[in-house]
Amino acid sequence: MAASAGAQLERRSSERRAQSMAREEERGGQQAADEELNKDGAAAAPKSQSGGPSEMDQMKEKFAKLLLGEDMSGSGKGVPSALALSNAVTNLAASVFGEQRKLEPMAPDRKGRWKREVGWLLSVADHIVEFVAKKQVMDNGAEMEVMGTQQRRDLQANIPALRKLDTMLLDYLDNFKERNEFWYVKRDSCSESENEDSRSDEKWWIPIVKVPPAGLSKPSRGWLLHQKELVNQVLKAAMAINANCLMEMNIPDTYIDTLPKNGRASLGDALYRIITDVEFDPDDFLSTVDLTSEHKILDLKDRIEASVIIWNRKVHNKDGKSSWGSAVSQEKREQFEERAQTLLLIIKHRFPGIPQSALDIAKIQENRDVGFALLESYSRVLESLAFNVMSRIEDVIQADNLAREKAKREAPPPPPPEGGATAAGRRDAQEAGEESGSTLLDFMGWTGDSEERNDDSSPPPPPEMPAQDDGRLMKLPNIMTNLKQTYMEKLDFLSGNKSPSGRH
């Protein structure tokens, strides 16, 4: 029995060794076949020419980090998926567009990286679906209503629109390829006087733009203004999508807990009186506040947004901090909220480049909707890029204005006009006429009858008008008196009361 058992064990071990050797040979043959295919290039994995990781490996690494929630330790302390995806879009845009400091086409490698990686991140939106009712035809011809899935409506409408805006912005940058009427120089290569005249001194990281001494040509300046208007349209569209997305996000409880008790405490007494006045004008309100710095603009926006949320919650009876004896009616709160919303809209359009407010930051950090995270982050980076392109165009226009003013100051004075001699001759003729003794009555022709008639009824000739020291004629009051008497005599003759004295 023992011998038979030992023989069976030895037979089984030999079979296992044979099977393992067969698997190793098969694995070796497969590896050799793969090497041959890689040499031929038929089934090789796509790798970069520099021997780096392939696009597939890069995509795997990026999505693996997103699944970890930016926590490489794997301990579960990472951020939510929505915030991780929003940060990925923001960081990608910062690394790609952060080097775009001039009005010139993007480098092909950076443009390709942006399109490739933003496509990876936006592919998440293809799997965010909602249930809709659909009709299904059965085999027997009967129709049934079933529930199917399709992409969420807001993503289905806004993601293609944002992709179109992205393409338009890159095309606008490509249009500056053949424009050589302005150029950029380093800050160190300019003198102090040139730096003082330049608008870009506030942005030390941006090179200084230069134009010809006489400024840009008229067609080039018109084309530049047209490009600015096109980019402005893209900016407005991205701002609208971003504002709508932020409005749809829920207000986090952490932000509500930091709000004051009422709108007056948030705005302050002075601003509260202006908003709650009977006559309210948004432009007058903004003219009374200090908007000279970015910090002050952002502080005003935070205070107005806080007051809007306070009034909105009190109108809908969601705020437990409100007292029973409040003197402000619901209608008044709705009116105040509408005025504050108008102010926020004006501030956002007048200062599009200001940072995000405290409410926006709280919504983005506490958001758990991946679709909203994609829309908000993508629209925000496109808005930032459009604003930067508009700022670069304004730098060129400002440099052109400075060059035109400088050329106008340094230009020689124009020659005297040809009509100057004619005007001088006219003045000499007038002075000669005054010296010859011509009067106003001679000019009007009133003295012609007095020279022909010598009867007593004619009024005496007016005395010669004396001249002042500066050559101007003095006014004689007795001229109008004599004319008035003559006119009265004519009226008496026509009425029959009295005949002229010359016919007696």
Side-chain angles (χ1 to χ4, degrees):
M1 293 292 292
S4 61
Q8 290 179 359
L9 289 175
E10 186 177 358
R11 192 183 307 113
R12 290 176 182 174
S13 62
S14 62
E15 290 176 357
R16 292 194 189 98
R17 285 196 299 268
Q19 291 176 0
S20 64
M21 290 176 64
R23 284 196 297 267
E24 288 179 359
E25 290 178 359
E26 184 180 358
R27 190 182 302 113
Q30 183 66 31
Q31 185 176 1
D34 292 342
E35 289 179 358
E36 291 294 332
L37 289 175
N38 289 338
K39 289 180 182 179
D40 297 339
K47 292 188 178 182
S48 60
Q49 297 179 357
S50 60
S54 63
E55 293 185 4
M56 185 63 67
D57 294 335
Q58 293 178 6
M59 185 173 63
K60 289 179 180 179
E61 180 184 359
K62 184 174 290 293
F63 279 96
K65 292 179 180 179
L66 289 176
L67 290 175
L68 288 172
E70 301 178 358
D71 178 26
M72 303 307 172
S73 65
S75 59
K77 297 180 180 179
V79 299
S81 301
L83 182 58
L85 195 60
S86 177
N87 292 340
V89 176
T90 304
N91 296 334
L92 175 62
S95 60
V96 173
F97 299 126
E99 302 176 6
Q100 194 71 27
R101 303 176 182 177
K102 303 177 183 179
L103 285 177
E104 61 182 5
M106 289 183 61
D109 55 344
R110 288 194 290 118
K111 182 188 293 187
R113 179 193 171 195
W114 166 254
K115 290 184 176 180
R116 180 176 62 253
E117 297 192 13
V118 81
W120 295 346
L121 297 174
L122 292 178
S123 64
V124 180
D126 298 336
H127 303 279
I128 301 176
V129 297
E130 61 184 358
F131 286 101
V132 293
K134 296 182 178 179
K135 290 184 178 181
Q136 184 177 0
V137 181
M138 306 299 292
D139 296 337
N140 56 2
E143 290 187 357
M144 269 185 84
E145 190 175 77
V146 297
M147 297 301 294
T149 59
Q150 70 175 15
Q151 190 179 17
R152 215 168 69 182
R153 287 187 178 87
D154 56 342
L155 300 176
Q156 190 176 7
N158 292 324
I159 290 293
L162 291 174
R163 296 298 296 265
K164 180 64 176 179
L165 295 178
D166 188 357
T167 305
M168 291 170 63
L169 276 177
L170 297 182
D171 291 342
Y172 294 156
L173 286 176
D174 292 338
N175 292 337
F176 289 93
K177 182 179 180 180
E178 304 296 335
R179 296 292 165 173
N180 54 4
E181 290 195 27
F182 60 90
W183 62 95
Y184 293 89
V185 296
K186 295 182 178 179
R187 188 172 299 275
D188 299 336
S189 61
C190 296
S191 61
E192 295 182 358
S193 60
E194 292 177 347
N195 286 336
E196 290 177 359
D197 295 338
S198 179
R199 178 175 176 262
S200 59
D201 285 344
E202 303 173 356
K203 308 170 185 177
W204 52 268
W205 65 93
I206 298 176
I208 298 176
V209 63
K210 292 293 181 181
V211 297
L216 300 174
S217 61
K218 182 176 290 187
S220 180
R221 184 180 175 90
W223 179 85
L224 202 63
L225 293 175
H226 178 62
Q227 295 297 311
K228 178 183 176 183
E229 182 62 28
L230 293 177
V231 177
N232 188 28
Q233 297 298 326
V234 176
L235 174 63
K236 291 180 179 179
M239 287 174 59
I241 296 176
N242 185 263
N244 187 33
C245 183
L246 286 172
M247 185 176 59
E248 293 293 333
M249 292 183 182
N250 295 326
I251 302 174
D253 295 335
T254 55
Y255 177 80
I256 294 176
D257 294 339
T258 61
L259 293 177
K261 187 186 303 183
N262 49 40
R264 181 189 291 270
S266 175
L267 290 171
D269 294 337
L271 299 181
Y272 181 80
R273 283 195 299 268
I274 298 176
I275 290 183
T276 59
D277 196 5
V278 178
E279 299 293 336
F280 174 74
D281 188 359
D283 295 330
D284 293 342
F285 175 86
L286 294 177
S287 63
T288 57
V289 295
D290 188 6
L291 302 176
T292 56
S293 65
E294 187 178 88
H295 174 73
K296 295 178 180 178
I297 298 172
L298 187 60
D299 179 67
L300 177 64
K301 185 179 178 182
D302 288 338
R303 291 159 64 183
I304 295 176
E305 281 183 343
S307 63
V308 168
I309 295 176
I310 292 171
W311 288 327
N312 187 292
R313 290 178 62 82
K314 288 186 177 181
V315 166
H316 296 87
N317 297 324
K318 293 180 180 180
D319 197 351
K321 300 178 183 179
S322 60
S323 59
W324 289 95
S326 178
V328 182
S329 62
Q330 300 290 338
E331 292 78 8
K332 287 291 185 181
R333 286 199 180 99
E334 291 179 357
Q335 184 182 14
F336 300 160
E337 180 187 354
E338 183 180 355
R339 292 177 176 180
Q341 290 282 10
T342 304
L343 289 174
L344 288 176
L345 185 63
I346 294 176
I347 291 174
K348 187 171 182 61
H349 283 276
R350 188 176 296 183
F351 308 99
I354 60 175
Q356 293 173 326
S357 61
L359 177 60
D360 296 341
I361 294 174
K363 284 184 175 181
I364 294 172
Q365 291 180 348
E366 300 294 334
N367 175 47
R368 298 295 181 267
D369 192 314
V370 178
F372 284 160
L374 274 175
L375 289 179
E376 191 280 328
S377 57
Y378 194 26
S379 61
R380 173 163 39 87
V381 298
L382 292 181
E383 177 184 341
S384 177
L385 175 61
F387 177 76
N388 290 335
V389 174
M390 279 193 59
S391 179
R392 305 294 182 270
I393 295 177
E394 289 175 356
D395 291 341
V396 179
I397 295 176
Q398 181 69 14
D400 179 53
N401 294 335
L402 294 176
R404 289 172 181 269
E405 293 176 0
K406 186 177 181 181
K408 191 175 182 180
R409 290 194 305 265
E410 295 177 355
E418 297 179 357
T422 307
R426 192 181 299 111
R427 281 197 305 271
D428 295 342
Q430 291 177 358
E431 293 176 357
E434 292 178 359
E435 292 177 357
S436 63
S438 61
T439 61
L440 181 61
L441 298 179
D442 296 334
F443 180 75
M444 298 297 295
W446 290 349
T447 58
D449 296 338
S450 61
E451 293 177 357
E452 295 176 359
R453 294 181 304 173
N454 293 326
D455 53 350
D456 297 338
S457 62
S458 62
E464 185 176 355
M465 300 173 63
Q468 296 180 354
D469 296 336
D470 55 357
R472 293 178 299 169
L473 298 178
M474 294 181 63
K475 182 179 179 181
L476 297 178
N478 57 350
I479 293 177
M480 295 301 297
T481 305
N482 295 335
L483 290 176
K484 185 176 181 181
Q485 291 176 356
T486 306
Y487 183 69
M488 292 301 297
E489 290 176 358
K490 290 181 179 180
L491 287 178
D492 293 337
F493 173 75
L494 293 174
S495 60
N497 296 331
K498 183 179 179 181
S499 60
S501 58
R503 294 196 178 185
H504 286 292

